[in-house]
Amino acid sequence: MTLPGTWREALPPVRGRLEFDAPLRDFTWFRVGGPAEVLFLPRDEDDLADFLRALPAEVPVTILGAASNVIVRDGGIEGVTVRLAGRGFGEIAAEPAAGQVIAGAAALDAQLARASAKAGIGGLEFFAGIPGTVGGALVMNAGCYDGETSRVLSVAWGVDRTGARQVFTPADLDFSYRHARLPPGLIWTGAVFQGQPTPPEMALEQIEAITRRRETTQPIREKTGGSTFKNPPGGSAWRCVDQAGWRGRIWGGAQVSPLHANFLINGGAASAADLEGLGEAIRADVAAKLGVTLEWEIRRLGRP
Ligand SMILES: Cc1cc2nc3c(=O)[nH]c(=O)nc-3n(C[C@H](O)[C@H](O)[C@H](O)COP(=O)(O)OP(=O)(O)OC[C@H]3O[C@@H](n4cnc5c(N)ncnc54)[C@H](O)[C@@H]3O)c2cc1C
């Protein structure tokens, strides 16, 4: 739907910040993509809810976490893009007696892992291997090394597109591999995770082991976006990409990582179109050569 040209002149008042034509590229892991028509940085959950309630329903709203699993397209993101930059959204509080950790949706997964470990709560160490936020983990059911968000989540809450606050248990979310079923437009704002008593040094050691392992198996120092494709049923995406001969191949400014064939890399001059074009070329080739349909794990947001 095309919005009237004046929609940005009548935005609801906010206590946080509104920015127009705000560049997003440098904020994304891939370092590509156009601007947000409007970027909203709410100060707290009430600010977010009041804004969404008053924002005309036809204005699309997009939420970004750490942008570690997205390609923002070159034409930018239409409507309002939300980033949870307010202080409260990044807070983490451990309740060792209950084995629980409460985290704001903008808290980094790695900080969640470390805070839990230091408080003597184990089971959340795997979050150290995921460079996103708690909000992104809830949406993607993020996981690695035998750990998965769905298995440690106790309860999560957020604000829907009408500004109403909603609370969910794992059963409500019908989690599956890299997927959760949540109401369209829901923005996570916080969650409680359940772990178990574990000596801090043991949990911290496991975090170090995860960090070391990732350094050698994933191109974490590159401009990348995590796993490009979901693993196909009974198979592995990187193996399909490898077998079809795409490891290390270059496509404009984009490349398939020589280290991990399911990671794409911006070599420095890639556009979002290069990265998405490379992904689509791989999908078509893998389908033709191996008869396997690869599904994108990376979310592509905005206008080409
Ligand atoms: C080097 C590297 C390694 C990675 N390794 C792993 C791994 O081992 N396992 C794994 O699972 N993932 C991995 N990832 C992918 C990524 O880190 C995860 O998917 C992560 O959960 C995404 O979180 P994010 O905050 O970056 O979300 P974003 O990339 O910003 O967004 C992802 C999706 O979540 C939505 N979203 C974000 N925040 C919210 C919110 N508050 N409310 C509602 N929706 C929201 C966005 O709209 C988008 O649809 C890796 C990525 C990189 C770059």
Side-chain angles (χ1 to χ4, degrees):
M1 176 198 292
T2 313
L3 297 170
T6 54
W7 74 273
R8 297 196 300 180
E9 288 160 25
L11 290 169
V14 300
R15 287 182 290 111
R17 246 177 37 233
L18 287 171
E19 295 175 13
F20 286 12
D21 302 317
L24 294 173
R25 164 200 295 257
D26 288 343
F27 170 70
T28 70
W29 265 69
F30 268 128
R31 300 286 189 276
V32 296
E37 266 190 296
V38 172
L39 180 65
F40 175 35
L41 308 166
R43 182 172 294 178
D44 51 33
E45 196 185 69
D46 285 343
D47 195 22
L48 175 65
D50 292 345
F51 178 82
L52 291 174
R53 199 172 302 120
L55 186 71
E58 64 274 18
V59 178
V61 176
T62 302
I63 166 87
L64 283 180
S68 66
N69 213 198
V70 296
I71 294 174
V72 172
R73 293 190 172 116
D74 299 310
I77 302 184
E78 59 277 19
V80 174
T81 300
V82 177
R83 272 188 51 210
L84 302 180
R87 272 186 69 187
F89 292 121
E91 276 171 14
I92 299 173
E95 307 262 351
Q100 290 187 333
V101 189
I102 305 155
L108 290 175
D109 298 331
Q111 291 169 340
L112 171 63
R114 218 157 256 285
S116 315
K118 282 187 183 157
I121 298 169
L124 310 185
E125 295 89 343
F126 72 93
F127 276 123
I130 303 164
T133 61
V134 164
L138 291 168
V139 172
M140 306 301 295
N141 189 16
C144 61
Y145 307 135
D146 294 333
E148 204 171 62
T149 305
S150 59
R151 285 187 233 140
V152 291
L153 179 69
S154 218
V155 62
W157 53 89
V159 175
D160 71 16
R161 180 59 185 83
T162 69
R165 196 167 187 268
Q166 295 205 37
V167 181
F168 299 86
T169 64
D172 300 325
L173 297 169
D174 197 18
F175 281 115
S176 56
Y177 167 63
R178 300 294 169 266
H179 175 81
R181 193 193 55 206
L182 54 155
L186 186 92
I187 296 181
W188 292 117
T189 52
V192 178
F193 296 96
Q194 182 71 53
Q196 67 279 331
T198 304
E201 55 287 1
M202 219 168 115
L204 287 166
E205 205 173 289
Q206 205 182 329
I207 287 176
E208 295 317 317
I210 287 172
T211 310
R212 279 197 302 276
R213 187 164 161 193
R214 261 167 39 86
E215 294 263 355
T216 53
T217 55
Q218 294 180 354
I220 59 168
R221 311 247 166 250
E222 304 278 359
K223 301 178 184 74
T224 183
S227 295
T228 307
F229 305 112
K230 297 183 186 189
N231 286 328
S236 106
W238 74 262
R239 209 166 263 130
C240 293
V241 177
D242 218 11
Q243 278 173 5
W246 285 86
R247 184 187 287 265
R249 274 177 68 176
I250 289 173
W251 185 276
Q255 186 184 17
V256 178
S257 165
L259 182 64
H260 191 314
N262 198 26
F263 278 58
L264 302 184
I265 289 173
N266 170 7
S271 61
D274 289 342
L275 289 162
E276 193 168 1
L278 174 55
E280 287 301 341
I282 294 170
R283 291 183 71 227
D285 200 40
V286 166
K289 287 179 178 158
L290 310 178
V292 175
T293 303
L294 289 178
E295 264 187 56
W296 283 92
E297 179 175 319
I298 289 177
R299 308 274 178 112
R300 282 94 59 234
L301 305 175
R303 298 180 284 220

